[in-house]
Amino acid sequence: MRELGSVTFRAFDTVCAVSADADAAALREIEALCARYELLLSRFDPESRLSVLNAAAGEWVDVGNELATVLRAALGYCERTGGLFDITMGGVCRLWDFKRGVVPDDTAITQTLAHVDWRNVQIEGTQARIIDPQATIDLGGMAKGYIADRAIDLLKHCGATSGVINLGGNVACLGGKPDGSAWNVGLRAPVPSGGSLQAASFASVSVRGKSVVTSGVYERSFVRNGRVLHHILDPRTGKPAETDVLSATVIADKSLDADGYTTALIIMGADEALTFAEQTPGIEAVLLTTNARLLKTTGLQGEGAQLHVG
């Protein structure tokens, strides 16, 4: 049985960790891969291809094959969720500051929301453009999923057969543990703490070769006038989603699929989200609601992934 090596580093404004039956050089390659993709996909770095596209004022930009691939995938999630996941929410996201507790006024939200529409993004080959020059693409809702998949590909290329990648809560597993058992991935729920919501584990899922991604209203939030304001913004209102879902976990073969759906499931609300997850091929979901209901898709009763509560 091969031993697991591990590395921990900061990327995407969070702590990332990789453990795998690979040598130290391969693990360092994972760190370098994350840094490269962070540059490629960040709307905050003015040197990134994405920033160049956002600043192009409606003109066509050669974004390269990889960013074009990510954009095509992202538009697929926008379409399948009916726009509840919308990559042109960048301007609205910029209005809010959940670290400093900044709430934008309604006029600013309304004016910026007028430029939110994923259908304004066009891609032809490696060329892309945003028809509305005032729209801004933000790939934060699914970038880590794409990166986690590429990291798994790199581990496989290096000969690894067992590993787990945790990009700040976005977990992707390669095979099972070296002893053959499944990986246990903790699920988090929000609890009040010091005027905001913090994460606490309430369950786990056992998986082999799958990704587990959880989004929750606790990740970035603050309390204003007795109301919790969280970072999951509804593209229909430009404001924190009014939902009965506290956290949504998606389990899928590809981390991109798991990442691409979690936010939309929260915005949908529990009943619609559960129906959507049951009808979407290739994913399973676990939902925790505001009245402490724990909902799960029927596939979690099988061998692919098992839910453990407590």
Coordinates of all heavy atoms in Angstrom, one line a residue, residues 67-149:
L67 N -9.9 29.1 -21.6 CA -11.0 29.9 -21.1 C -12.2 29.8 -21.9 O -13.4 29.8 -21.4 CB -10.5 31.4 -21.1 CG -11.5 32.4 -20.6 CD1 -12.0 32.1 -19.2 CD2 -10.9 33.8 -20.5
A68 N -12.1 29.6 -23.2 CA -13.3 29.4 -24.1 C -14.0 28.1 -23.6 O -15.2 28.1 -23.6 CB -12.9 29.3 -25.5
T69 N -13.3 27.1 -23.3 CA -13.9 25.8 -22.8 C -14.6 26.0 -21.5 O -15.8 25.6 -21.3 CB -12.8 24.8 -22.6 OG1 -12.1 24.5 -23.8 CG2 -13.4 23.5 -22.0
V70 N -14.0 26.8 -20.6 CA -14.7 27.1 -19.3 C -15.9 27.9 -19.5 O -17.0 27.6 -18.9 CB -13.7 27.8 -18.3 CG1 -14.5 28.2 -17.1 CG2 -12.5 27.0 -18.0
L71 N -15.9 28.9 -20.4 CA -17.0 29.8 -20.7 C -18.2 28.9 -21.3 O -19.3 29.1 -20.9 CB -16.6 30.9 -21.6 CG -15.8 32.0 -21.0 CD1 -15.3 32.9 -22.0 CD2 -16.5 32.7 -19.9
R72 N -17.9 28.0 -22.2 CA -18.9 27.2 -22.8 C -19.6 26.3 -21.7 O -20.8 26.2 -21.7 CB -18.3 26.3 -23.9 CG -18.0 27.0 -25.2 CD -17.8 26.0 -26.3 NE -17.3 26.7 -27.5 CZ -16.0 26.9 -27.8 NH1 -15.1 26.6 -27.0 NH2 -15.7 27.6 -28.9
A73 N -18.8 25.8 -20.9 CA -19.3 24.9 -19.8 C -20.2 25.8 -18.9 O -21.3 25.4 -18.5 CB -18.2 24.3 -19.0
A74 N -19.7 27.0 -18.5 CA -20.5 27.9 -17.7 C -21.8 28.3 -18.3 O -22.8 28.3 -17.6 CB -19.7 29.1 -17.4
L75 N -21.8 28.5 -19.5 CA -23.1 28.9 -20.2 C -24.1 27.7 -20.2 O -25.3 27.9 -20.1 CB -22.8 29.4 -21.6 CG -22.1 30.7 -21.8 CD1 -21.8 31.0 -23.2 CD2 -22.8 31.8 -21.1
G76 N -23.6 26.5 -20.2 CA -24.4 25.4 -20.1 C -25.2 25.3 -18.7 O -26.4 25.0 -18.7
Y77 N -24.5 25.6 -17.6 CA -25.1 25.7 -16.3 C -26.1 26.8 -16.2 O -27.2 26.7 -15.6 CB -24.0 25.8 -15.2 CG -23.1 24.6 -15.2 CD1 -21.7 24.8 -15.5 CD2 -23.5 23.3 -14.9 CE1 -20.9 23.7 -15.5 CE2 -22.7 22.2 -14.9 CZ -21.4 22.4 -15.2 OH -20.5 21.4 -15.2
C78 N -25.8 27.9 -16.9 CA -26.7 29.1 -16.9 C -28.0 28.7 -17.5 O -29.1 28.9 -17.0 CB -26.1 30.3 -17.7 SG -24.6 31.0 -16.9
E79 N -27.9 28.0 -18.7 CA -29.1 27.6 -19.4 C -29.9 26.5 -18.7 O -31.1 26.6 -18.5 CB -28.7 27.0 -20.8 CG -29.9 26.6 -21.7 CD -29.5 26.2 -23.0 OE1 -28.3 26.0 -23.3 OE2 -30.4 26.1 -23.9
R80 N -29.2 25.5 -18.1 CA -29.9 24.4 -17.5 C -30.6 24.9 -16.2 O -31.6 24.2 -15.8 CB -29.0 23.3 -17.2 CG -28.6 22.5 -18.5 CD -27.8 21.3 -18.2 NE -26.5 21.5 -17.7 CZ -25.4 21.7 -18.4 NH1 -25.5 21.7 -19.7 NH2 -24.2 21.9 -17.9
T81 N -30.1 25.9 -15.5 CA -30.7 26.4 -14.3 C -31.6 27.6 -14.5 O -32.1 28.2 -13.6 CB -29.6 26.9 -13.3 OG1 -28.9 27.9 -13.8 CG2 -28.7 25.7 -12.9
G82 N -31.9 27.8 -15.8 CA -32.9 28.9 -16.1 C -32.3 30.3 -15.7 O -33.1 31.2 -15.4
G83 N -31.0 30.4 -15.7 CA -30.4 31.7 -15.3 C -30.3 32.0 -13.8 O -29.8 33.0 -13.4
L84 N -30.6 31.0 -13.0 CA -30.4 31.1 -11.6 C -28.9 31.1 -11.2 O -28.4 31.6 -10.2 CB -31.1 30.1 -10.8 CG -32.7 30.2 -10.8 CD1 -33.3 29.2 -9.9 CD2 -33.1 31.6 -10.4
F85 N -28.1 30.4 -12.1 CA -26.7 30.6 -12.1 C -26.4 31.5 -13.4 O -26.7 31.1 -14.5 CB -26.0 29.2 -12.3 CG -24.5 29.3 -12.4 CD1 -23.7 29.5 -11.3 CD2 -23.9 29.2 -13.6 CE1 -22.3 29.6 -11.4 CE2 -22.5 29.3 -13.8 CZ -21.7 29.4 -12.6
D86 N -25.8 32.7 -13.1 CA -25.6 33.6 -14.2 C -24.2 34.2 -14.1 O -23.9 34.9 -13.1 CB -26.6 34.7 -14.2 CG -26.6 35.5 -15.5 OD1 -25.5 35.9 -16.0 OD2 -27.7 35.8 -16.1
I87 N -23.3 33.9 -15.1 CA -21.9 34.3 -15.0 C -21.7 35.8 -15.2 O -20.6 36.3 -15.0 CB -21.0 33.5 -15.9 CG1 -21.4 33.7 -17.4 CG2 -20.9 32.1 -15.5 CD1 -20.5 33.1 -18.4
T88 N -22.8 36.5 -15.6 CA -22.7 38.0 -15.8 C -23.1 38.8 -14.6 O -23.4 39.9 -14.7 CB -23.5 38.4 -17.1 OG1 -24.9 38.1 -16.9 CG2 -23.0 37.8 -18.3
M89 N -23.1 38.1 -13.4 CA -23.4 38.8 -12.2 C -22.2 39.5 -11.6 O -22.3 40.1 -10.5 CB -23.9 37.8 -11.2 CG -25.4 37.4 -11.3 SD -26.5 38.7 -10.7 CE -26.3 38.5 -8.9
G90 N -21.1 39.6 -12.3 CA -19.9 40.3 -11.8 C -20.1 41.7 -11.3 O -19.6 42.1 -10.2
G91 N -20.9 42.5 -12.0 CA -21.1 43.9 -11.7 C -21.9 44.0 -10.4 O -21.6 44.8 -9.5
V92 N -22.9 43.1 -10.2 CA -23.7 43.1 -9.0 C -22.9 42.6 -7.8 O -23.0 43.2 -6.7 CB -25.0 42.2 -9.2 CG1 -25.8 42.2 -7.9 CG2 -25.8 42.8 -10.3
C93 N -22.1 41.6 -8.0 CA -21.3 41.1 -6.9 C -20.3 42.1 -6.4 O -20.0 42.2 -5.2 CB -20.5 39.8 -7.4 SG -21.5 38.4 -7.8
R94 N -19.8 43.0 -7.4 CA -18.9 44.0 -7.0 C -19.5 45.1 -6.1 O -18.8 45.8 -5.3 CB -18.3 44.7 -8.3 CG -17.1 45.5 -8.1 CD -16.4 45.7 -9.4 NE -17.3 46.1 -10.5 CZ -17.2 45.8 -11.8 NH1 -16.1 45.1 -12.2 NH2 -18.0 46.2 -12.7
L95 N -20.8 45.2 -6.2 CA -21.5 46.3 -5.3 C -21.5 45.9 -3.8 O -21.5 46.7 -3.0 CB -22.9 46.4 -5.8 CG -23.2 47.0 -7.2 CD1 -24.7 47.0 -7.5 CD2 -22.6 48.4 -7.3
W96 N -21.5 44.6 -3.6 CA -21.6 44.1 -2.2 C -20.2 43.8 -1.7 O -19.3 43.4 -2.4 CB -22.4 42.8 -2.2 CG -23.9 42.9 -2.5 CD1 -24.4 43.0 -3.7 CD2 -24.9 43.0 -1.6 NE1 -25.8 43.1 -3.6 CE2 -26.1 43.1 -2.3 CE3 -25.0 43.0 -0.2 CZ2 -27.4 43.2 -1.7 CZ3 -26.2 43.1 0.4 CH2 -27.4 43.2 -0.3
D97 N -20.0 44.1 -0.4 CA -18.8 43.7 0.3 C -19.1 43.0 1.6 O -19.5 43.6 2.6 CB -18.0 45.0 0.6 CG -16.5 44.7 1.1 OD1 -16.4 43.6 1.7 OD2 -15.6 45.5 0.9
F98 N -19.0 41.7 1.6 CA -19.4 40.9 2.7 C -18.3 40.8 3.8 O -18.6 40.4 4.9 CB -19.8 39.5 2.3 CG -21.1 39.5 1.4 CD1 -21.0 39.6 0.0 CD2 -22.3 39.5 2.0 CE1 -22.2 39.6 -0.7 CE2 -23.5 39.5 1.3 CZ -23.4 39.6 -0.1
K99 N -17.1 41.3 3.5 CA -16.1 41.4 4.5 C -16.3 42.6 5.4 O -16.1 42.6 6.6 CB -14.7 41.4 3.8 CG -14.3 40.0 3.2 CD -12.9 40.1 2.7 CE -12.4 38.8 2.1 NZ -11.1 38.8 1.6
R100 N -16.6 43.7 4.7 CA -16.8 45.0 5.4 C -18.3 45.3 5.8 O -18.6 46.3 6.4 CB -16.2 46.1 4.6 CG -14.7 46.0 4.5 CD -14.1 47.2 3.8 NE -14.7 47.4 2.5 CZ -14.5 48.5 1.7 NH1 -13.9 49.6 2.3 NH2 -15.0 48.6 0.5
G101 N -19.2 44.4 5.3 CA -20.6 44.7 5.6 C -21.2 45.8 4.8 O -22.0 46.5 5.3
V102 N -20.8 46.0 3.6 CA -21.3 47.1 2.7 C -22.6 46.6 2.0 O -22.5 45.6 1.3 CB -20.3 47.5 1.7 CG1 -20.9 48.5 0.7 CG2 -19.1 48.1 2.4
V103 N -23.7 47.3 2.1 CA -24.9 47.0 1.4 C -25.2 48.1 0.4 O -25.3 49.3 0.8 CB -26.1 47.0 2.4 CG1 -27.4 46.7 1.7 CG2 -25.9 45.9 3.5
P104 N -25.3 47.8 -0.9 CA -25.5 48.8 -1.9 C -26.9 49.3 -1.9 O -27.8 48.6 -1.4 CB -25.2 48.1 -3.2 CG -25.5 46.6 -2.9 CD -25.1 46.4 -1.5
D105 N -27.2 50.5 -2.4 CA -28.5 51.0 -2.4 C -29.3 50.4 -3.5 O -28.7 49.9 -4.5 CB -28.6 52.6 -2.5 CG -27.9 53.1 -3.8 OD1 -28.4 52.7 -4.9 OD2 -27.0 53.9 -3.6
D106 N -30.6 50.4 -3.4 CA -31.5 49.8 -4.4 C -31.3 50.3 -5.8 O -31.4 49.5 -6.8 CB -32.9 49.9 -4.0 CG -33.3 49.0 -2.8 OD1 -32.5 48.1 -2.5 OD2 -34.3 49.2 -2.2
T107 N -31.0 51.6 -6.0 CA -30.9 52.2 -7.3 C -29.7 51.6 -8.0 O -29.7 51.2 -9.2 CB -30.7 53.7 -7.2 OG1 -31.9 54.3 -6.6 CG2 -30.5 54.3 -8.6
A108 N -28.6 51.5 -7.3 CA -27.3 50.9 -7.8 C -27.6 49.5 -8.3 O -27.1 49.0 -9.3 CB -26.2 51.0 -6.9
I109 N -28.3 48.7 -7.4 CA -28.6 47.3 -7.8 C -29.4 47.2 -9.0 O -29.1 46.5 -10.0 CB -29.3 46.6 -6.6 CG1 -28.3 46.4 -5.4 CG2 -29.8 45.2 -7.0 CD1 -29.0 45.9 -4.2
T110 N -30.5 48.0 -9.1 CA -31.4 48.0 -10.3 C -30.6 48.4 -11.5 O -30.8 47.7 -12.6 CB -32.5 49.0 -10.0 OG1 -33.3 48.6 -8.9 CG2 -33.5 48.9 -11.2
Q111 N -29.8 49.4 -11.5 CA -29.1 49.8 -12.7 C -28.1 48.8 -13.1 O -27.9 48.5 -14.3 CB -28.3 51.1 -12.4 CG -29.3 52.3 -12.2 CD -28.5 53.6 -11.8 OE1 -27.4 53.5 -11.3 NE2 -29.2 54.7 -11.9
T112 N -27.4 48.1 -12.2 CA -26.4 47.1 -12.6 C -27.1 45.8 -13.0 O -26.6 45.1 -13.9 CB -25.5 46.8 -11.4 OG1 -25.0 48.1 -10.9 CG2 -24.3 46.0 -11.8
L113 N -28.2 45.5 -12.4 CA -28.9 44.3 -12.7 C -29.4 44.3 -14.2 O -29.6 43.2 -14.8 CB -30.1 44.1 -11.8 CG -30.7 42.7 -11.6 CD1 -29.6 41.7 -11.1 CD2 -31.8 42.7 -10.6
A114 N -29.6 45.5 -14.7 CA -30.0 45.6 -16.1 C -29.0 45.0 -17.1 O -29.3 44.8 -18.2 CB -30.3 47.0 -16.4
H115 N -27.8 44.9 -16.6 CA -26.7 44.4 -17.5 C -26.3 42.9 -17.2 O -25.3 42.4 -17.6 CB -25.5 45.3 -17.4 CG -25.8 46.7 -17.7 ND1 -26.0 47.1 -18.9 CD2 -25.9 47.8 -16.8 CE1 -26.3 48.4 -18.9 NE2 -26.2 48.8 -17.6
V116 N -27.2 42.2 -16.4 CA -27.0 40.8 -16.1 C -27.9 40.0 -17.1 O -29.1 40.0 -17.0 CB -27.4 40.5 -14.6 CG1 -27.3 39.0 -14.4 CG2 -26.4 41.2 -13.7
D117 N -27.2 39.2 -17.9 CA -27.9 38.3 -18.8 C -26.9 37.4 -19.5 O -26.1 37.9 -20.4 CB -28.7 39.0 -19.9 CG -29.6 38.1 -20.7 OD1 -29.4 36.9 -20.7 OD2 -30.6 38.6 -21.3
W118 N -26.8 36.2 -19.1 CA -25.8 35.3 -19.6 C -25.9 35.1 -21.1 O -24.9 34.7 -21.8 CB -25.9 33.9 -18.9 CG -27.2 33.2 -19.1 CD1 -28.3 33.4 -18.4 CD2 -27.5 32.3 -20.2 NE1 -29.3 32.6 -18.9 CE2 -28.9 31.9 -20.0 CE3 -26.8 31.7 -21.2 CZ2 -29.6 31.0 -20.8 CZ3 -27.5 30.8 -22.0 CH2 -28.8 30.5 -21.8
R119 N -27.0 35.4 -21.7 CA -27.2 35.2 -23.1 C -26.5 36.3 -23.9 O -26.4 36.2 -25.2 CB -28.7 35.2 -23.5 CG -29.4 34.0 -23.0 CD -30.9 34.2 -23.0 NE -31.3 35.2 -22.0 CZ -32.6 35.4 -21.6 NH1 -33.6 34.6 -22.1 NH2 -32.9 36.3 -20.7
N120 N -25.9 37.3 -23.3 CA -25.1 38.3 -23.9 C -23.6 37.8 -24.2 O -22.8 38.6 -24.8 CB -25.1 39.6 -23.1 CG -26.3 40.4 -23.3 OD1 -26.9 40.4 -24.4 ND2 -26.8 41.0 -22.2
V121 N -23.3 36.6 -23.7 CA -21.9 36.1 -23.9 C -21.9 35.2 -25.1 O -22.7 34.3 -25.2 CB -21.5 35.3 -22.6 CG1 -20.1 34.8 -22.9 CG2 -21.5 36.1 -21.4
Q122 N -21.0 35.5 -26.0 CA -20.9 34.7 -27.3 C -19.5 34.1 -27.4 O -18.5 34.8 -27.0 CB -21.2 35.6 -28.5 CG -22.6 36.1 -28.6 CD -22.9 36.9 -29.8 OE1 -22.0 37.6 -30.4 NE2 -24.1 36.9 -30.3
I123 N -19.5 32.9 -27.9 CA -18.2 32.2 -28.1 C -18.1 31.6 -29.5 O -19.1 30.9 -29.9 CB -17.9 31.1 -27.0 CG1 -18.2 31.7 -25.6 CG2 -16.5 30.6 -27.1 CD1 -18.4 30.6 -24.6
E124 N -17.1 31.8 -30.2 CA -16.8 31.2 -31.5 C -15.4 30.7 -31.5 O -14.5 31.6 -31.6 CB -17.1 32.1 -32.6 CG -18.6 32.5 -32.8 CD -18.9 33.4 -34.0 OE1 -17.9 33.6 -34.8 OE2 -20.0 33.8 -34.2
G125 N -15.2 29.4 -31.5 CA -13.8 28.9 -31.4 C -13.1 29.4 -30.1 O -13.6 29.1 -29.0
T126 N -12.0 30.1 -30.3 CA -11.3 30.7 -29.1 C -11.7 32.1 -28.9 O -11.1 32.8 -28.0 CB -9.8 30.5 -29.2 OG1 -9.3 31.2 -30.3 CG2 -9.4 29.0 -29.3
Q127 N -12.6 32.6 -29.7 CA -13.0 34.0 -29.6 C -14.2 34.2 -28.7 O -15.1 33.3 -28.8 CB -13.3 34.6 -31.0 CG -12.1 34.6 -32.0 CD -11.1 35.7 -31.7 OE1 -11.5 36.8 -31.4 NE2 -9.8 35.3 -31.9
A128 N -14.3 35.2 -27.9 CA -15.4 35.5 -27.1 C -15.7 36.9 -27.0 O -14.8 37.8 -27.2 CB -15.2 34.9 -25.7
R129 N -16.9 37.3 -26.8 CA -17.3 38.7 -26.5 C -18.5 38.7 -25.6 O -19.3 37.8 -25.5 CB -17.5 39.4 -27.8 CG -18.8 39.1 -28.5 CD -19.1 40.1 -29.6 NE -20.3 39.8 -30.4 CZ -21.0 40.7 -31.1 NH1 -20.6 41.9 -31.2 NH2 -22.1 40.3 -31.8
I130 N -18.7 39.9 -25.0 CA -19.9 40.2 -24.2 C -20.6 41.3 -24.9 O -20.1 42.4 -25.0 CB -19.5 40.6 -22.8 CG1 -18.5 39.7 -22.1 CG2 -20.8 40.7 -21.9 CD1 -17.9 40.2 -20.8
I131 N -21.8 41.0 -25.5 CA -22.5 42.0 -26.3 C -22.7 43.3 -25.5 O -22.6 44.4 -26.1 CB -23.8 41.4 -26.8 CG1 -23.6 40.2 -27.7 CG2 -24.6 42.4 -27.6 CD1 -24.8 39.4 -28.1
D132 N -23.2 43.2 -24.3 CA -23.4 44.4 -23.5 C -22.1 44.8 -22.9 O -21.5 44.1 -22.0 CB -24.4 44.0 -22.3 CG -24.7 45.2 -21.5 OD1 -24.0 46.3 -21.6 OD2 -25.7 45.1 -20.7
P133 N -21.5 46.0 -23.3 CA -20.2 46.4 -22.8 C -20.2 46.7 -21.3 O -19.1 46.8 -20.7 CB -19.9 47.7 -23.6 CG -21.3 48.1 -24.1 CD -22.1 46.9 -24.3
Q134 N -21.3 46.8 -20.7 CA -21.4 47.1 -19.2 C -21.5 45.9 -18.4 O -21.6 45.9 -17.2 CB -22.5 48.1 -18.9 CG -22.2 49.5 -19.6 CD -23.2 50.5 -19.1 OE1 -23.3 50.8 -17.9 NE2 -24.0 51.0 -20.0
A135 N -21.6 44.7 -19.0 CA -21.7 43.5 -18.3 C -20.3 43.0 -17.9 O -19.3 43.2 -18.5 CB -22.4 42.4 -19.1
T136 N -20.3 42.2 -16.8 CA -19.0 41.7 -16.2 C -19.2 40.2 -15.9 O -20.1 39.8 -15.2 CB -18.6 42.5 -15.0 OG1 -18.5 43.8 -15.3 CG2 -17.3 41.9 -14.4
I137 N -18.3 39.4 -16.5 CA -18.3 38.0 -16.2 C -17.6 37.7 -14.9 O -16.5 38.2 -14.7 CB -17.7 37.2 -17.3 CG1 -18.6 37.3 -18.6 CG2 -17.5 35.7 -16.9 CD1 -18.0 36.6 -19.8
D138 N -18.2 36.9 -14.0 CA -17.5 36.4 -12.8 C -17.7 34.8 -12.8 O -18.8 34.3 -12.8 CB -18.2 37.0 -11.6 CG -17.5 36.6 -10.3 OD1 -16.8 35.6 -10.3 OD2 -17.7 37.3 -9.3
L139 N -16.5 34.1 -12.9 CA -16.6 32.7 -12.9 C -16.4 32.0 -11.5 O -16.1 30.8 -11.4 CB -15.5 32.2 -13.9 CG -15.7 32.5 -15.3 CD1 -14.5 32.1 -16.2 CD2 -17.0 31.9 -15.9
G140 N -16.4 32.9 -10.5 CA -16.2 32.3 -9.1 C -17.1 31.2 -8.7 O -16.8 30.4 -7.9
G141 N -18.3 31.2 -9.3 CA -19.3 30.1 -8.9 C -19.0 28.7 -9.5 O -19.6 27.8 -9.0
M142 N -18.0 28.6 -10.4 CA -17.6 27.3 -10.9 C -16.2 27.1 -11.2 O -15.8 26.0 -11.6 CB -18.5 27.0 -12.1 CG -18.7 28.0 -13.1 SD -17.3 28.2 -14.2 CE -17.6 26.7 -15.2
A143 N -15.4 28.1 -11.0 CA -13.9 28.0 -11.4 C -13.2 26.9 -10.6 O -12.4 26.1 -11.2 CB -13.2 29.3 -11.2
K144 N -13.5 26.8 -9.3 CA -12.7 25.8 -8.6 C -13.1 24.4 -9.0 O -12.3 23.5 -8.9 CB -13.0 26.0 -7.1 CG -12.3 27.2 -6.5 CD -12.2 27.2 -5.0 CE -13.5 27.4 -4.3 NZ -13.5 27.5 -2.9
G145 N -14.3 24.2 -9.5 CA -14.7 22.9 -10.0 C -13.9 22.5 -11.2 O -13.4 21.4 -11.2
Y146 N -13.7 23.4 -12.1 CA -12.9 23.2 -13.3 C -11.5 22.9 -12.9 O -10.8 21.9 -13.4 CB -13.0 24.3 -14.2 CG -12.2 24.2 -15.5 CD1 -12.7 23.4 -16.6 CD2 -10.9 24.7 -15.6 CE1 -11.9 23.2 -17.7 CE2 -10.1 24.5 -16.7 CZ -10.6 23.8 -17.8 OH -9.9 23.6 -18.9
I147 N -10.9 23.7 -11.9 CA -9.6 23.5 -11.5 C -9.3 22.2 -10.8 O -8.3 21.5 -11.0 CB -9.1 24.7 -10.6 CG1 -9.2 26.0 -11.5 CG2 -7.7 24.5 -10.1 CD1 -9.1 27.3 -10.6
A148 N -10.3 21.8 -9.9 CA -10.2 20.5 -9.2 C -10.1 19.4 -10.2 O -9.4 18.4 -10.0 CB -11.3 20.4 -8.3
D149 N -10.9 19.4 -11.3 CA -10.9 18.4 -12.3 C -9.6 18.3 -13.0 O -9.0 17.2 -13.3 CB -12.0 18.6 -13.3 CG -13.4 18.3 -12.8 OD1 -13.5 17.5 -11.9 OD2 -14.4 18.9 -13.3

